Amino acid sequence: MNKRIRNRRVVAGGLLLCGVLGCGPVEAVRAPPQVKPTPTAAPQVTTAAPEVKEEPPGAGEMRELSLPAPEWDELSNGVRVATIRSPALPIVEVRVVALTGSAGDGDKHGVAELTAELLKEGGAGGLSGRALVEKAEAMGAALQVSVTLDRTALSLGVTKDRMAEALSLLGAMASKPAMSAGDLAKLRKRRAEEAADRARESAAWGVSMMLYRTLFGGAGSHPYSTYDATAAEIGKLTVADCRAFHKRAFVPKNLLVVVAGDADRGEVRAAAEKALGELKGAEPKETVFPALTWIRGLQVVVVDRPKSTQSQVSVGVLGPERTSPPWPAFATGNQILGGGASGRLFAEVRERAGLAYSTGSSLTELSHGSLLVAFAGTETKKTGLAAQALLAQVERMGSDEPTPAEVAVATRFLADVTAIRLETVGALANELIQDRVLGLPDDAAARFRREVHDVKGPNVLRSMASYLVRHRAALVVSGDAKIVGPLLRTFGDVRVVDPENGFTVKETLATDPDAQLAPAEESQ
């Protein structure tokens, strides 16, 4: 499978409880110990706003974002079809999407991704996996499959004259997959090896695994609690598991066809009817999303990577629903916090304090909620100080109103980047799919630009105040536990987990309010 696209998640250049970690509701939360100043000679972390030498120009009047509106049809069996006509170039992007992703794995972690890959590599419609790929290449296209927490997508980009052919190929994958045990065995072996490699080598992957587990109640307790499958979990999956997932997810009323580009609505509907009109299936089984409870107190986890000379430090919190009124202000707050060189994390943690070689924050939209993660890559010896700095800036976003200059820069960027990222027909197709996943209207991008243009400082503070607080956050660090574990004890009990053994807890280090934030040799 080509590079997986995960709308959720992705921390550390992009990086989200509590059965394993003992979390619970927020009642009777005991305040975490006060962080005592370290006696080291390391740079002091400040919480003052970065100096602005001159006010940025006002936002001015914003031009409306004009995008082609999707034209909707429904096939006789209930499959929904959207045509987004944009005839500037003689190309089309074709998507067949099941509105179920890895959050629908249930207790078969990894089955959504394995099934999606098997649709491609196992063949469909009487063609082998190799023949499928060769047929796509003959159209001048690359066949892609991608899985997020909330959806599974099959994609091709072709010239307009190959649109029906592309839909026929994707329709065969969605409705007539071969799914042989032999093909699954080869694919499963490769995927398990890749997962084992990530457990050994990827700091970002380990951090993301524990952020999602911690914030969403522990492995398996919530559909979003599993960021990815481990090698052991993948090794247990059978062809029967994949067939069952396909039968559940790829049913007419759970499918969406999107064709964007130089395409005629009538031709798209006719091609979709031919490709998918005979597909049958029961009503889609909805994934149950239980109500979330806030975690109780700051949770501290170390993903042990022995002898690592660097640490990946992340602070994650749950955010509001994408459809909720506070969202534009919340997105603005995230941009102020970690939006590139203009963000507070870059100015304070990287430039002023010198505690990280990379830092920022990410905001992941989910069909049920969202996840904000502040992150920093740092030297092992600076891990405690970097964690302190990230927590300070996260808490500051939830307690101090941003300046008008900060808001102006952030809102102008968000409004402009929304327009820029929708310049291709592929982006238009993906945006419409994401809107369906999140329950947004077809003109969600234009609405967001208007709404974010009107955001002010008090709106940002109100939207952040109930989310960006220490006792609702998870501090997850990937690094050498022998060194960084003791440095983090001042923040609370430290759970050390083994990424190569299913993230089982290796040990728990008790809270020590007097723990130093840097190794002793640093203070000397």
Side-chain angles (χ1 to χ4, degrees), residues 81-100:
V81 180
T83 304
I84 307 174
R85 182 161 173 73
S86 179
L89 294 172
I91 59 174
V92 291
E93 289 285 344
V94 184
R95 309 280 189 269
V96 174
V97 183
L99 298 177
T100 303

Side-chain angles (χ1 to χ4, degrees), residues 295-306:
I295 58 179
R296 183 187 303 165
L298 177 68
Q299 299 294 304
V300 187
V301 182
V302 174
V303 180
D304 192 15
R305 299 183 69 228

Side-chain angles (χ1 to χ4, degrees), residues 158-492:
V158 296
T159 54
K160 62 178 294 186
D161 58 306
R162 312 300 288 267
M163 181 273 294
E165 192 177 353
L167 249 178
S168 177
L169 188 148
L170 297 181
M173 293 171 63
S175 61
K176 303 172 184 176
M179 289 195 176
S180 73
D183 288 324
L184 176 67
K186 291 183 288 186
L187 178 59
R188 181 178 56 209
K189 182 176 183 295
R190 186 170 74 247
R191 284 286 290 114
E193 291 173 349
E194 292 170 354
D197 286 342
R198 286 193 293 272
R200 285 190 298 269
E201 300 173 3
S202 177
W205 182 81
V207 166
S208 295
M209 288 287 281
M210 290 310 301
L211 278 173
Y212 278 80
R213 286 193 185 192
T214 306
L215 291 170
F216 287 105
S221 63
H222 187 279
Y224 289 155
S225 64
T226 303
Y227 171 83
D228 200 359
T230 65
E233 290 169 335
I234 293 169
K236 295 176 182 178
L237 296 174
T238 67
V239 71
D241 296 328
C242 293
R243 288 172 179 165
F245 179 86
H246 178 269
K247 184 177 181 180
R248 186 171 74 249
F250 285 81
V251 295
K253 292 189 177 180
N254 199 45
L255 287 187
L256 177 66
V257 174
V258 178
V259 177
D262 191 4
D264 174 78
R265 177 181 180 180
E267 293 177 357
V268 170
R269 179 189 170 91
E273 188 73 53
K274 185 175 181 181
L276 290 164
E278 295 181 2
L279 179 64
K280 295 179 174 57
E283 291 287 325
K285 183 179 179 181
E286 293 188 7
T287 302
V288 177
F289 287 85
L292 286 171
T293 55
W294 296 111
I295 58 179
R296 183 187 303 165
L298 177 68
Q299 299 294 304
V300 187
V301 182
V302 174
V303 180
D304 192 15
R305 299 183 69 228
K307 299 182 180 180
S308 175
T309 60
Q310 298 176 334
S311 295
Q312 178 66 50
V313 185
S314 294
V315 176
V317 296
L318 298 179
E321 297 277 339
R322 175 62 180 85
T323 53
S324 65
W327 181 263
F330 195 83
T332 301
N334 172 68
Q335 184 66 23
I336 293 170
L337 175 64
S342 65
R344 291 178 177 180
L345 293 177
F346 185 92
E348 297 295 336
V349 179
R350 183 183 185 276
E351 295 297 290
R352 186 168 296 182
L355 293 175
Y357 51 82
S358 66
T359 187
S361 65
S362 65
L363 184 53
T364 302
E365 302 172 356
L366 302 166
S367 66
H368 294 74
S370 61
L371 173 68
L372 185 150
V373 179
F375 56 88
T378 189
E379 299 174 65
T380 296
K381 62 187 178 182
K382 295 181 179 180
T383 300
L385 294 167
Q388 180 191 45
L390 285 184
L391 284 167
Q393 295 302 327
V394 167
E395 288 185 294
R396 178 180 162 220
M397 279 303 310
S399 61
D400 296 347
E401 183 178 315
T403 67
E406 288 179 309
V407 175
V409 170
T411 55
R412 188 164 56 246
F413 173 85
L414 290 173
D416 290 346
V417 79
T418 298
I420 292 170
R421 67 180 174 83
L422 295 176
E423 289 185 332
T424 67
V425 292
L428 290 174
N430 295 337
E431 181 75 7
L432 182 62
I433 292 166
Q434 183 70 348
D435 289 344
R436 295 285 73 71
V437 166
L438 299 174
L440 295 169
D442 293 344
D443 63 343
R447 291 190 186 192
F448 175 76
R449 290 186 80 239
R450 290 194 297 268
E451 292 166 348
V452 80
H453 182 267
D454 295 331
V455 167
K456 305 300 180 187
N459 308 125
V460 175
L461 180 57
R462 282 195 298 270
S463 70
M464 292 286 185
S466 60
Y467 296 100
L468 272 67
V469 288
R470 182 179 294 226
H471 64 258
R472 293 179 175 177
L475 169 61
V476 180
V477 175
S478 179
D480 188 340
K482 287 186 179 179
I483 299 176
V484 305
L487 306 180
L488 302 175
R489 293 172 65 192
T490 188
F491 304 116

